[in-house]
Amino acid sequence: TVAMLALGSAIGLTAVVAPGHAQDKKRYTVALIPGLTTDAFYITMRKGAQAAADALGVDLVFQGAPEFNPVVQVPVLDATIARKPDAILIAPTDKTQLVEPLRKAQDAGIAVITVDTFIGSGQYQTGAGDADFPLAYIASDNVLGGRMAARALAKAIGEGGGKVYVSNVKPGISTTDQREQGFKDEMRENFPAITVLDTQFNENDANRAASQLQAVYARNSDLKGVFGANLFSAIGAGNGVQQAGQTGNVKVIAFDAPGSIVDNIQSGLVDAAIAQHPAEIGYYGVVSAYAHLTGQSIPVAIGTGFTVIDKSNVTNPDVAKYVYSD
Ligand code: T6T
């Protein structure tokens, strides 16, 4: 390099020497902790995260629990903190129960970013409250998603109105709480002829969501529709409608788009699916972590989009690419 610099100045060139060689560059480790491992939504998020990690030369570790539950997620988080990654991307499974466990990561000097779900109010880096310490929140706009589901269900059941309900996971999860809120607000404000019955909570168990559908239908033979507020709620609600022999009669709007959604839309069991863009969430999660670790400032919130999939567009490749990888 010295000889080249000398030669460069001898012939009047300005040598630009990069600070350090590729092999001196620090390799960062980013851990991604999903809500649960066996969920097409998080499997797709992982793919996006891996694509960014490959592009940036980051080591990505994917470690999660088999259920969407803080009781099993917190030990995974503790074990991850003990391995001292440079950053943790996590989908917290509860708005309050993950605050203290995540503070431990922050205290250990690990950069914390939440993906999909948030802790506290989801307003980070404001100096308010005790859960604003994560650096960024990267996710769908779930209130908007709930409103979109309400509009789709209102359209599916037609002008006359009628009874519908939300099949949901459990209270305390930021995403599904916001979807239910957006759904109910939209119905109240814009579709007053539609009655929203009590929410049925299924603990992320599709079988439970299916039996609940049948129980609600048994009590309300005039039930017109159901909004499945996440992947398992929607699959379960759809199965319940099918088992009750009400395919096409009780309309189903699904949040999320696992592979099975294509058949269910084509068969008429599901009217529309609101697909999130989980690969984008994973991709921007890793990019944000890397930017922060290398001294850049990063946006405190990044919103990713939706694609509404229905019979009219399900075979279009520009739409089908948003169906999740199983
Ligand atoms: O809907 C997604 C995710 O956004 C939510 O936070 C939890 O459930 C899913 O993973 C789907 O199962």
Side-chain angles (χ1 to χ4, degrees):
T1 311
V2 174
M4 279 172 59
L5 276 172
L7 178 65
S9 37
I11 56 172
L13 294 175
T14 311
V16 179
V17 182
H21 298 281
Q23 63 264 37
D24 304 335
K25 212 171 107 184
K26 177 166 166 47
R27 237 187 126 82
Y28 294 102
T29 300
V30 174
L32 171 59
I33 304 178
L36 76 165
T37 47
T38 54
D39 176 334
F41 172 82
Y42 294 113
I43 292 169
T44 310
M45 183 189 291
R46 179 189 188 173
K47 282 196 166 177
Q50 191 62 57
D54 292 347
L56 295 167
V58 164
D59 291 322
L60 181 75
V61 180
F62 181 79
Q63 202 82 57
E67 280 171 42
F68 195 98
N69 186 336
V71 174
V72 285
Q73 188 181 41
V74 169
V76 173
L77 172 59
D78 287 341
T80 304
I81 295 170
R83 290 170 65 178
K84 297 192 186 311
D86 298 290
I88 290 179
L89 307 177
I90 184 170
T93 47
D94 189 277
K95 280 186 282 201
T96 47
Q97 292 184 54
L98 266 293
V99 175
E100 290 315 315
L102 275 173
R103 196 190 309 284
K104 286 196 230 159
Q106 151 94 355
D107 291 348
I110 300 168
V112 175
I113 290 176
T114 77
V115 286
D116 176 45
T117 45
F118 58 72
I119 53 170
S121 66
Q123 306 290 316
Y124 297 156
Q125 303 291 314
T126 61
D130 61 356
D132 80 316
F133 58 86
L135 297 168
Y137 169 53
I138 302 164
S140 308
D141 178 340
N142 288 289
V143 175
L144 174 65
R147 283 187 178 269
M148 290 167 69
R151 287 176 211 140
L153 190 54
K155 187 173 154 202
I157 69 178
E159 298 298 309
K163 293 178 184 167
V164 304
Y165 78 94
V166 182
S167 174
N168 211 344
V169 182
K170 64 184 161 200
I173 305 167
S174 70
T175 45
T176 48
D177 284 356
Q178 288 192 323
R179 289 170 202 162
E180 181 175 333
Q181 183 206 323
F183 180 86
K184 288 181 170 168
D185 288 351
E186 181 71 17
M187 288 302 195
R188 198 185 51 250
E189 291 165 18
N190 295 321
F191 302 101
I194 295 177
T195 305
V196 182
L197 302 173
D198 286 347
T199 297
Q200 302 293 307
F201 291 107
N202 56 52
E203 302 279 331
N204 223 24
D205 177 348
N207 291 329
R208 202 180 297 191
S211 349
Q212 287 169 341
L213 183 291
Q214 296 186 65
V216 174
Y217 179 68
R219 293 193 297 269
N220 302 274
S221 58
D222 52 349
L223 182 72
K224 289 278 176 61
V226 56
F227 166 40
N230 84 332
L231 189 148
F232 300 100
S233 306
I235 288 181
N239 289 344
V241 168
Q242 195 168 35
Q243 287 153 10
Q246 294 302 315
T247 301
N249 238 349
V250 176
K251 305 293 185 184
V252 180
I253 302 299
F255 215 88
D256 292 312
S260 59
I261 208 73
V262 176
D263 285 349
N264 290 340
I265 285 175
Q266 271 163 347
S267 74
L269 179 60
V270 170
D271 267 83
I274 318 285
Q276 303 186 74
H277 295 177
E280 290 173 21
I281 298 175
Y283 193 95
Y284 287 97
V286 171
V287 168
S288 299
Y290 183 80
H292 170 76
L293 293 168
T294 53
Q296 307 299 312
S297 66
I298 60 171
V300 75
I302 297 181
T304 53
F306 295 114
T307 298
V308 181
I309 309 181
D310 60 19
K311 230 177 204 160
S312 73
N313 64 14
V314 65
T315 55
N316 177 344
D318 291 336
V319 169
K321 73 179 179 200
Y322 290 108
V323 172
Y324 304 170
S325 329
D326 291 295

